[in-house]
Amino acid sequence: CSKNFCDTLTIRPNPEPSFEILYDCAPDSVCSSTLIDFLSTSTVESSLGGNIDSAFWYVDGVLEASLDEDNSFVTQFDQGFHTIDLIVLTEYGCSSPQFYTDSINVVDIPSAGFNVLNDTLCPDDLLQIDLLSSGYITNYQWSIYAEETDTFFTYISSDSLLPIFPELQQGLFDTTYTISLEVSNCCGSDTYNYPVLLKPKPIVCFALTKNELCSQDTVTLTFEPFVFGNTDSIYVDFGDGQFTTIYPDNVLPTMFNNIFHQYFGTENTGLDTTYYINIIGFNECGVDSCSDSITVKPLAIQSFFTTEMYYDVDTCENLQVDFIENSFAPTGSEVSWCFDWDSSTSSCNTLFSPISYVL
């Protein structure tokens, strides 16, 4: 004897969990200051699976939310790496056999920082910088500003390698430059500024009151307003074998006072003599020089006289003596003579033409 019994068994599929992460900086890192949406995109393969009812969200292994599957999971995270797990449940009580897992990197706004090892520079010095920035950084922008806030240099990079900074341009006096670094990521930016002082090399020159003079005349060397750059001292070579070193005065604002020098021509040849004046300025950053020339003319005019007869200088009065003028000067010169026969005074008694006089 036998008997058959038949029944129907329905095997319902398990859901497949999945989700997507929605945030402003996607696909870059997540910002700690923003809310993040986790949206379930879980599915069931056939209609036998029914609807997905529930979603269970885990953060770093801890259940954070149990929601209807069509509701997104919204939360905010501290800085760091975080793991997100999702399990879903259908209306028939079927659950996903395993978690769907994804991870996020949550970052803050980065912090800019650096240290300048030589914050007082001379024009030839190179900037020496230690980078101290921290955080998740996707962009570096270096800038150098002059005192007038004009941008002197800009460099943008996605890595932390230092740029080759340009040589800073000196001014007439000390110049302050600002070294600026801005670091940023999708969350925001931070800027750090550091002032550096650029000390100039000396800047020296001079002016002559005249570039042509007669032998035995004196010329003036004027240094203001031709000296800048915090010049400490100036070496002066007059070109005739004489030299001197001068320093600024002690009255603020300090300056270099004028100096004077007497030149002598070459009398025996009657030719002009050219002297080359050279000055060198010094300070802690270097030297600078300047030169000029001066032409010295010999004394082409000679003034002297003779007497017609020898006489005793200690003689009696009423002695008649003929004084003969023998001076000479270049042709065409406008010359006057002054004859002083009275030794008791130093003034001229007579102006006369070059002829013989009897006294």
Side-chain angles (χ1 to χ4, degrees), residues 216-264:
Q216 302 180 25
D217 284 353
T218 298
V219 68
T220 303
L221 280 71
T222 302
F223 296 97
E224 301 295 338
F226 308 107
V227 178
F228 305 96
N230 299 339
T231 302
D232 294 330
S233 62
I234 298 176
Y235 171 82
V236 183
D237 183 346
F238 295 103
D240 60 354
Q242 300 187 53
F243 51 86
T244 187
T245 299
I246 61 174
Y247 302 89
D249 58 27
N250 294 322
V251 180
L252 293 177
T254 59
M255 60 182 294
F256 286 84
N257 294 320
N258 299 344
I259 59 175
F260 310 92
H261 190 69
Q262 185 181 28
Y263 281 94
F264 295 88

Side-chain angles (χ1 to χ4, degrees), residues 1 63 77 96 123 165 167 176 190 199 202 209 218 312 324 327:
C1 297
L63 179 62
F77 294 89
S96 50
F165 293 103
E167 180 178 310
T176 299
D190 183 44
K199 303 185 79 62
T209 49
T218 298
D312 188 349
I324 302 174
S327 301

Side-chain angles (χ1 to χ4, degrees), residues 114-130:
F114 61 90
N115 184 39
V116 179
L117 303 181
N118 52 341
D119 55 8
T120 300
L121 306 168
C122 290
D124 294 333
D125 294 341
L126 297 177
L127 284 168
Q128 301 178 37
I129 290 179
D130 279 343

Side-chain angles (χ1 to χ4, degrees), residues 37 39 49 55 74 77 104 110 124 155 189 203 210 238 240 243 251 269 289 333 348 355:
D37 287 343
L39 181 62
V74 181
F77 294 89
I104 57 173
D124 294 333
Y155 175 82
S189 63
I203 302 172
K210 49 189 174 181
F238 295 103
D240 60 354
F243 51 86
V251 180
T269 64
S289 63
S333 300
C348 297
I355 59 176

Side-chain angles (χ1 to χ4, degrees), residues 9-259:
L9 176 64
T10 302
I11 307 297
R12 299 186 183 280
N14 291 324
E16 291 293 334
S18 64
F19 61 85
E20 63 179 0
I21 308 173
L22 304 178
Y23 58 96
D24 292 338
C25 289
D28 203 345
S29 297
V30 182
C31 300
S32 61
S33 59
T34 61
L35 292 173
I36 307 167
D37 287 343
F38 297 89
L39 181 62
S40 173
T41 56
S42 304
T43 59
V44 177
E45 287 187 0
S46 70
S47 59
L48 290 176
N51 296 320
I52 300 175
D53 278 345
S54 303
F56 301 90
W57 297 92
Y58 293 81
V59 176
D60 298 328
V62 178
L63 179 62
E64 289 291 334
S66 176
L67 304 171
D68 290 341
E69 192 270 341
D70 58 355
N71 291 336
S72 61
F73 171 46
V74 181
T75 188
Q76 188 172 351
F77 294 89
D78 294 330
Q79 179 181 355
F81 284 92
H82 300 277
T83 300
I84 312 302
D85 299 312
L86 173 63
I87 289 180
V88 292
L89 189 68
T90 68
E91 61 180 296
Y92 298 111
C94 299
S95 66
S96 50
Q98 59 187 11
F99 289 105
Y100 178 83
T101 301
D102 202 350
S103 61
I104 57 173
N105 179 32
V106 180
V107 299
D108 290 328
I109 296 174
S111 177
F114 61 90
N115 184 39
V116 179
L117 303 181
N118 52 341
D119 55 8
T120 300
L121 306 168
C122 290
D124 294 333
D125 294 341
L126 297 177
L127 284 168
Q128 301 178 37
I129 290 179
D130 279 343
L131 188 60
L132 304 175
S133 299
S134 59
Y136 176 68
I137 302 173
T138 58
N139 187 76
Y140 295 81
Q141 178 171 319
W142 292 92
S143 300
I144 299 178
Y145 301 99
E147 286 185 321
E148 298 79 11
T149 68
D150 294 333
T151 302
F152 177 72
F153 170 79
T154 298
Y155 175 82
I156 299 175
S157 174
S158 60
D159 58 53
S160 60
L161 294 177
L162 293 176
I164 298 175
F165 293 103
E167 180 178 310
L168 300 180
Q169 296 179 359
Q170 77 167 59
L172 298 179
F173 304 99
D174 291 352
T175 304
T176 299
Y177 284 89
T178 299
I179 313 300
S180 178
L181 171 62
E182 179 185 286
V183 295
S184 61
N185 58 29
C186 185
C187 304
S189 63
D190 183 44
T191 301
Y192 181 75
N193 296 323
Y194 197 109
V196 296
L197 180 66
L198 180 68
K199 303 185 79 62
K201 290 182 178 180
I203 302 172
V204 297
C205 208
F206 64 96
L208 299 172
T209 49
K210 49 189 174 181
N211 286 89
E212 186 177 288
L213 68 160
C214 296
S215 179
Q216 302 180 25
D217 284 353
T218 298
V219 68
T220 303
L221 280 71
T222 302
F223 296 97
E224 301 295 338
F226 308 107
V227 178
F228 305 96
N230 299 339
T231 302
D232 294 330
S233 62
I234 298 176
Y235 171 82
V236 183
D237 183 346
F238 295 103
D240 60 354
Q242 300 187 53
F243 51 86
T244 187
T245 299
I246 61 174
Y247 302 89
D249 58 27
N250 294 322
V251 180
L252 293 177
T254 59
M255 60 182 294
F256 286 84
N257 294 320
N258 299 344
I259 59 175

